[in-house]
């Protein structure tokens, strides 16, 4: 299944990471959390005191960083996993993700990553079905009510979450959109296993055509 991609998009708290990781485990495929990449750049930009509004400086930084993710996210060999979801990063990451030059670097790396896997890759984010892998083997869009998503995100809270929703869906560069050919699943009151099974069924149905 080298080169095969299951692309999963959806807003924060829709269950993307949990579901994508479980689908990858079930299939024996690799999992890629692209939000963690934007978060890793944000952690490093904040640590170095780079002005986030300085798009060129942040893009130069993004281009220079070696980001790895197995099993924990590291930047230039330094473990940043525990820094990825702090309030400071939650507040700043939308600005970094709205930077078109940063996105260009990240998209290229995401494509390269999937290409280099001996097995298929389950990739989750905001622009995976629309920009990064428009020809993915299977496209999935996960949704859930704001209340449910805020509950899943715990400390972040509904206010910060909806602020990020607005930033992610209204930005100029690759906003979060539902691809017309994506399989939509509302995860509000669905157990993870059931959503995972639905995605695997979709994949099987594709393969049997
Ligand atoms: O999925 P997450 O909450 O970890 O994502 C962090 C931020 O990164 C989110 O606010 C939107 C952005 N993001 C993006 O713009 N494109 C992606 N492919 C993944 C995440």
């Amino acid at each position: 299944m080298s080169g095969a991609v299951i692309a999963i998009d959806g807003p924060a708290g829709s269950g993307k990471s949990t579901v994508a990781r479980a689908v990858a485990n079930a299939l024996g495929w690799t999992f890629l959390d692209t939000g963690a990449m934007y978060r890793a750049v944000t952690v490093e930009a904040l640590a170095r005191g780079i002005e986030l509004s300085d798009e060129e400086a942040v893009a130069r930084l993004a281009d220079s960083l070696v980001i790895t993710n197995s099993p924990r996210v590291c930047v230039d060999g330094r473990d940043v996993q525990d820094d990825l979801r702090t309030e400071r990063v939650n507040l700043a990451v939308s600005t970094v993700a709205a930077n078109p030059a940063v996105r260009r670097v990240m998209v290229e790396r995401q494509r390269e990553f999937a290409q280099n896997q001996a097995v298929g890759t389950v990739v989750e984010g905001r622009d995976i079905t629309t920009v990064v892998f428009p020809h993915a083997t299977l496209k999935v869009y996960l949704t859930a009510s704001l209340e449910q998503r805020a509950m899943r995100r715990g400390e972040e809270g509904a206010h910060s979450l909806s602020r990020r929703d607005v930033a992610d869906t209204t930005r100029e560069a690759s906003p979060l959109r539902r691809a017309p050919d994506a399989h939509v699943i509302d995860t509000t009151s669905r157990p993870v296993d059931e959503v995972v099974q639905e995605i695997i069924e979709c994949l099987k149905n594709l393969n049997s055509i």
Side-chain angles (χ1 to χ4, degrees):
M1 288 308 271
S2 171
V5 168
I6 297 180
I8 305 182
D9 283 328
S14 57
K16 295 187 306 293
S17 291
T18 309
V19 167
R21 197 184 298 272
V23 169
N25 273 340
L27 296 170
W29 289 16
T30 312
F31 162 64
L32 181 63
D33 171 357
T34 62
M37 297 171 72
Y38 291 97
R39 286 175 181 273
V41 175
T42 307
V43 167
E44 207 54 33
L46 292 174
R48 297 186 192 197
I50 295 174
E51 197 57 60
L52 298 184
S53 57
D54 186 345
E55 293 198 348
E56 265 183 43
V58 181
R60 259 198 316 274
L61 171 73
D63 198 28
S64 74
L65 297 175
V66 176
I67 304 171
T68 51
N69 72 339
S70 60
R72 290 168 67 85
V73 175
C74 292
V75 174
D76 292 345
R78 196 169 60 83
D79 187 332
V80 297
Q81 183 73 43
D82 294 337
D83 305 327
L84 296 180
R85 293 188 166 75
T86 61
E87 188 55 20
R88 197 158 172 239
V89 172
N90 286 339
L91 287 171
V93 67
S94 296
T95 307
V96 172
N99 181 330
V102 170
R103 301 200 71 84
R104 273 196 291 279
V105 174
M106 295 298 122
V107 167
E108 197 179 311
R109 292 191 186 181
Q110 290 152 16
R111 289 178 179 149
E112 217 174 80
F113 179 91
Q115 238 165 32
N116 289 332
Q117 303 306 309
V119 288
T121 313
V122 184
V123 190
E124 62 99 341
R126 302 292 191 292
D127 59 342
I128 310 304
T129 57
T130 53
V131 174
V132 187
F133 296 108
H135 306 295
T137 317
L138 175 66
K139 299 184 192 180
V140 177
Y141 189 92
L142 298 185
T143 65
S145 69
L146 178 62
E147 293 72 23
Q148 180 70 40
R149 294 192 291 115
M151 220 155 73
R152 289 175 185 160
R153 283 293 163 120
E155 278 174 21
E156 184 172 359
H159 182 68
S160 165
L161 205 66
S162 59
R163 202 189 55 85
R164 226 144 49 82
D165 283 351
V166 172
D168 294 342
T169 52
T170 59
R171 70 180 178 219
E172 225 167 280
S174 313
L176 169 64
R177 279 209 196 104
R178 204 177 283 205
D181 53 348
H183 180 80
V184 180
I185 307 177
D186 185 334
T187 67
T188 305
S189 48
R190 306 268 310 269
V192 173
D193 286 0
E194 212 178 278
V195 178
V196 170
Q197 272 321 308
E198 184 169 334
I199 293 173
I200 290 173
E201 280 307 312
C202 281
L203 185 71
K204 278 189 194 154
N205 291 339
L206 281 181
N207 286 340
S208 64
I209 290 170

